[in-house]
Each structure stands twice: as structure tokens, then as C-alpha cells.
Amino acid sequence: MAAEEAISSDRELVRRSDRHQVVVIGSGFGGLFGTEALKRSDVDVTMIAKTSHHLFQPLLYQVATGILSEGEIAPPTREVLSSQKNAQVLLGEVTDIDLETRTVTSHVLGRELKTPYDSLIVAAGAGQSYFGNDHFAEYAPGMKSIDDALELRGRIFGAFEMAELGASRGENVDHLLTFVVVGAGPTGVEMAGQIAELAHRTLKKDFRAINSKHARVILVDAAPQVLPPFGQKLGTWTEKKLETLGVEVKLGGMVTDVDERGLVLKYKDGSEERISSVTKVWAAGVQANPLGKTLSEQTGAGLDRAGRISVNPDLTLPGHPEVFVVGDMISLDNLPGVAQVAIQGAKYAAHEIDNRLKGKAPQGPFRYHDKGSMAIVSRFEAVAMVGKLRLTGFLAWLMWLIVHLFYITGFKNRVTAILHWFISFIGRGRSERTMTEQQIFARIALQRLKGGTTELVSEPGEYDAEAERVRREELEARAAEEAHLTDDNLRGVHLPG
């Protein structure tokens, strides 16, 4: 069959060639490693993702606190896959999967695209969960995207700026200098630790009307301990280290309300506590991509409370061996929501697709190999859990450094990351402290548009040849005048008359 392209109303149906068509949904760890694993297979791979970059999500908190730039942890997906000739990258958010017709529907800025597949790898990941209180997000951004990190950077550094302004006018600025991180998992611990270092070390000489060392950093969680997945011993060690940094740890308190100026904690005994804080970070809980529900409705596969879908032992959907689901979207054998699960699952799926095309026997059930978990508490201090080995302090921090350097995509990004870490950990500087009002308020402004970003985009207008001719003549005349002034040394010369 020759390459074909069919059009139905305003939606395109694309098939690249007569080769086996693999569609990969998502550009995260699962999507990227799954695509790369098919590099030598006799297939065409089409990656569809709602962002044009591959995000190294574990380092988002360092973008939010000014250590790294977004480019260092989010290289362009096209650049990463540029040498893989059988891979194509399409921008778009997947909104539907039709298992009967084997098509994937995606949208971007009002444009709809339908892409057919012979095999499908769904690696759409997970988003932030507010446990049914999605309105909290307006005042407490999550930590799942570059947009989140840049907004939080603006909110964090902006809080110090507003506090300096308020204190200069004699106002009480305690609510501006109180930072609350919700969720005592790895992301929450790392975020709280870095905000504390930022306030108590990096910014201590930068202000005149306020003392940044007086800032409060509060880590809250409804759980009874810090870092529950790391066990009691490492959790207790981490809690003590955070308190040494000046972080207030409040456990057993559930967030029941969030507004612009603070939040409310409710404890088991029924008592409530209100914390006045303008800057809140939500790092508690994840919710699987809504595509899990779409697949569940078509296959009957169950969903757990986080929206993760039950899959067969080979990561396929019941009755649909051509569809693999990997990473944070799956509910299987109590697998954790970490990058390694997505990476190993995607590689497994890619290998299985390749085996089928070559007529080889199936691999057998997917088996996850735990390569350990780690979290940085502060500079030179971390916790690590690898098998039965438990490490704390500098050795764990060194292990964290090596592992994260290994998984950062691209030599250039590794080098710049090392330089920025040197500046931040050895010195006290932060290379990425730029923040704008646009970063802080753009998300809220877009949400208030009924049609979102689609309302800001118009269809291409009709071509106007006469207008183009007039514009071209104006530009040519202006360029000739600029060259004349330079060539005749007339710039800065007063001409009579």
C-alpha cells in the first residue's frame, strides 16, 4: 500500500506508509524511551504529546527555586529524536482513543487530528490531584509542568519582592514571608528544603527592609510521617534534617480550605489551624491522565482511586493486545509512580511489538526491577533507598547527583546543570531568578477564557497581494535610508536647514 492521506471534514486521518504504525502518547520518560526503543524496528513511530519537550520532572523544583533553567530539564523532543528516522513528533493533546477503529484523536489550538495505529503505547502520565478540591489549584499550583515551575518561581521570588515593598511602607508582611508546601513526599521535601535554603542562605544579603532569614517554611501532610515510601527510619531522619534547616513540619493535618491569603488544616481531634500564607505549593497526590477512564469504558478494565487502569501482566488492555499502557497510568502489582516504572514498561512494550513483527515468542509477564529511590533534603544532604541499602547524608547526596546527571538528556544540559549546581551548592547564588507577572498570572487568565487558548487564535486570513506589495516597498525604502546614513557618515551629524 502506498502512503495515503484522507481528509474527513476538518479532521485529518494520517497514515505515513504501509509499514506497521506505532503511535506513542506522551513525551515523558515512558513516551521517549518507548520511541527510542523502536529505533531499529521495521515500524513508523508517531509520538503525540501536548508539549514540545521531554520533561525531566524530578528536577522541576530546582526550576521553581532558581537553580536550573527550564531548558536544562526540558530539551525539545524533536531535537532528542532528530536522528531517529522512523520517528515523527506531533504536537497535540490526545482527547480520545477509539479502540474499534484504532485511531487517536488529538487537539491543539482548535485543530483536530486523527492518527491511525496498528500498535499503541499510552504513556500519558499523571497530573496533580487535589482530592476533589480542584479550586485549590488557583492559589496552590502543583509541580507537574514547566508552566507550574515558572509560576511558582514567580510566586516565590515575587513574595520576597512584595514583602520588601510592604515592609518599606511599614506594613505587616508575615503572610508574604510564610511559604507552605503541601505534601511530605519526595517532591514536597525537596521543595521545602530548597525554599528554606533560598530564604536563609541565598537571599540573606539582598534586601534592606526585610530579613529573609525570618521567613517561615512550613511542610504539611495528613500522613503521620515524612516520606512514607522510604520507611520510618529514613522518614524520621529527613524530618529532623528539615527542622535543622528551619522548616516547620506539621503532620496529621489535612488541608480543608485554600484561599489567596492562606489555608486551613484540620487535625484528627477535630481542631483546626489557619496558616496565613500567600505562597502555597501543592505537592500532594497524583491523578492518572483522563485517558485511563476512556480506555476503561471501552474495555471494562477497572480503575483505582487515582484513576489508574488495570492492565494484563504484559501491560496490554483486556481484549486489546495491540494497546500497551505504561508508567503512572497503570495499576499493576502495586508498582510505584516513578520514572523507572515508565522507562522499563515502555522498553518492554517496544520489545514486545518488535518480537511480534519478527514472529518471536512473547517475553512473558512484565517484571519491574527496582533501582532505588532518593530525595535531596538540602545541599550535601539526601536520603537514598536501594534494595535493602539505606543511605543518608553526603553519600546519598552524591548518589543522587550521579543518578540525576545520568538521566538528564543531552551532554550540553549535563554540563550546564553541573555548573549551576556548583554555583548553588558551593556558592550561594541562584542563576535563574528572573520572574515576571506574566508567569504568575497567565494560567489564571487563560482559565478565565471560556475556550482557553483557542480563543486567542484566529483562522488564517485571505492573501492580500496589494497590501504585501506596499509593505515590501516601505521596508525596502527604510533599509535603503538606513544604509545611506551609515555609508555617508551622517549619523549624529547636524544638517543645516
Side-chain angles (χ1 to χ4, degrees):
M1 182 195 302
E4 62 182 73
E5 186 175 293
I7 299 178
S8 175
S9 65
D10 62 339
R11 297 172 296 183
E12 295 182 31
L13 184 62
V14 179
R15 186 176 181 90
R16 293 169 58 193
S17 74
D18 59 352
R19 296 207 297 179
H20 190 88
Q21 302 291 303
V22 181
V23 171
V24 177
I25 300 175
S27 60
F29 286 107
L32 182 65
F33 279 81
T35 299
E36 290 182 328
L38 291 165
K39 185 174 185 177
R40 294 178 176 82
S41 300
D42 187 25
V43 299
D44 286 328
V45 187
T46 301
M47 175 191 285
I48 306 175
K50 63 181 180 180
T51 65
S52 61
H53 54 261
H54 163 66
L55 176 61
F56 190 85
Q57 199 173 93
L59 290 177
L60 265 180
Y61 75 95
Q62 294 200 2
V63 174
T65 53
I67 297 175
L68 298 178
S69 73
E70 59 272 27
E72 286 154 3
I73 69 165
T77 314
R78 293 184 184 281
E79 180 181 321
V80 177
L81 297 174
S82 60
S83 63
Q84 186 169 335
K85 301 304 181 183
N86 69 339
Q88 178 184 21
V89 180
L90 296 176
L91 181 65
E93 182 173 7
V94 175
T95 55
D96 190 32
I97 301 171
D98 191 322
L99 298 180
E100 183 177 350
T101 62
R102 295 193 180 185
T103 56
V104 170
T105 302
S106 57
H107 289 83
V108 59
L109 296 178
R111 277 74 167 173
E112 182 179 276
L113 179 72
K114 279 195 173 183
T115 309
Y117 65 83
D118 296 310
S119 293
L120 178 65
I121 299 177
V122 185
Q128 201 71 62
S129 173
Y130 288 85
F131 308 108
N133 298 293
D134 291 348
H135 57 287
F136 289 178
E138 181 172 351
Y139 309 109
M143 281 288 290
K144 291 297 180 181
S145 69
I146 289 294
D147 285 334
D148 291 337
L150 293 178
E151 179 178 344
L152 283 169
R153 181 197 293 175
R155 286 176 178 264
I156 292 167
F157 286 100
F160 287 103
E161 296 295 337
M162 295 305 294
E164 176 79 356
L165 179 61
S168 299
R169 298 168 57 182
E171 299 171 358
N172 185 323
V173 296
D174 289 348
H175 60 297
L176 289 165
L177 292 178
T178 300
F179 302 85
V180 180
V181 180
V182 182
T187 300
V189 165
E190 291 172 331
M191 192 70 180
Q194 283 307 312
I195 295 176
E197 287 207 337
L198 185 67
H200 304 157
R201 186 167 176 269
T202 303
L203 303 178
K204 64 180 181 179
K205 296 181 180 180
D206 291 8
F207 296 95
R208 301 296 176 263
I210 62 171
N211 185 346
S212 68
K213 294 175 71 174
H214 293 164
R216 293 178 67 195
V217 182
I218 305 172
L219 178 65
V220 304
D221 201 304
Q225 77 158 79
V226 171
L227 294 179
F230 284 68
Q232 184 66 47
K233 184 178 179 180
L234 291 184
T236 300
W237 184 91
T238 301
E239 183 178 348
K240 291 179 179 178
K241 278 296 177 183
L242 287 171
E243 290 172 343
T244 301
L245 283 173
V247 177
E248 301 174 37
V249 181
K250 294 179 179 288
L251 301 174
M254 181 179 295
V255 177
T256 58
D257 191 28
V258 181
D259 58 36
E260 184 178 359
R261 288 183 170 266
L263 52 77
V264 176
L265 295 179
K266 187 172 183 178
Y267 296 93
K268 272 191 175 181
D269 60 6
S271 63
E272 293 186 342
E273 177 187 7
R274 178 171 176 82
I275 302 174
S276 295
S277 168
V278 168
T279 307
K280 287 85 63 180
V281 182
W282 194 274
V286 294
Q287 186 72 24
N289 190 284
L291 289 176
K293 183 179 179 181
T294 299
L295 296 173
S296 173
E297 291 171 347
Q298 296 181 66
T299 63
L303 295 175
D304 66 10
R305 293 177 62 184
R308 295 174 298 193
I309 190 168
S310 297
V311 295
N312 295 325
D314 63 354
L315 304 183
T316 62
L317 290 176
H320 290 274
E322 76 282 1
V323 180
F324 297 84
V325 187
V326 303
D328 294 345
M329 291 187 64
I330 65 171
S331 175
L332 177 70
D333 300 335
N334 298 310
L335 291 172
V338 296
Q340 275 299 323
V341 172
I343 292 171
Q344 294 177 30
K347 288 181 175 180
Y348 172 93
H351 193 195
E352 189 64 24
I353 292 170
D354 190 64
N355 279 355
R356 291 175 184 177
L357 293 175
K358 293 177 179 177
K360 294 183 178 180
Q363 302 173 83
F366 171 68
R367 291 287 181 265
Y368 169 59
H369 302 287
D370 189 357
K371 295 188 178 182
S373 301
M374 53 195 69
I376 186 171
V377 182
S378 64
R379 64 189 191 115
F380 311 135
E381 300 283 0
V383 292
M385 181 175 63
V386 183
K388 295 183 179 180
L389 183 64
R390 302 292 185 268
L391 296 174
T392 60
F394 181 75
L395 192 58
W397 181 85
L398 196 60
M399 180 181 292
W400 173 93
L401 186 73
I402 294 170
V403 168
H404 283 70
L405 270 179
F406 178 80
Y407 281 106
I408 288 178
T409 303
F411 176 77
K412 175 187 67 177
N413 290 339
R414 292 190 184 103
V415 171
T416 53
I418 290 175
L419 292 175
H420 284 162
W421 284 340
F422 183 84
I423 292 170
S424 300
F425 296 146
I426 304 299
R428 67 178 186 89
R430 299 281 165 120
S431 301
E432 301 293 335
R433 286 171 52 174
T434 303
M435 56 92 180
T436 67
E437 287 186 359
Q438 181 172 301
Q439 291 172 340
I440 301 171
F441 298 110
R443 175 180 60 94
I444 298 173
L446 288 174
Q447 288 174 348
R448 291 176 181 172
L449 293 176
K450 186 177 180 180
T453 53
T454 305
E455 289 193 14
L456 304 175
V457 181
S458 60
E459 292 294 331
E462 293 185 4
Y463 174 68
D464 189 333
E466 178 60 21
E468 180 184 298
R469 184 190 65 78
V470 172
R471 178 61 176 156
R472 180 179 296 278
E473 289 178 355
E474 291 176 351
L475 291 173
E476 289 175 348
R478 185 181 303 170
E481 178 63 18
E482 290 290 334
H484 163 65
L485 292 173
T486 299
D487 293 341
D488 292 349
N489 295 317
L490 295 178
R491 296 189 185 278
V493 177
H494 178 71
L495 298 177

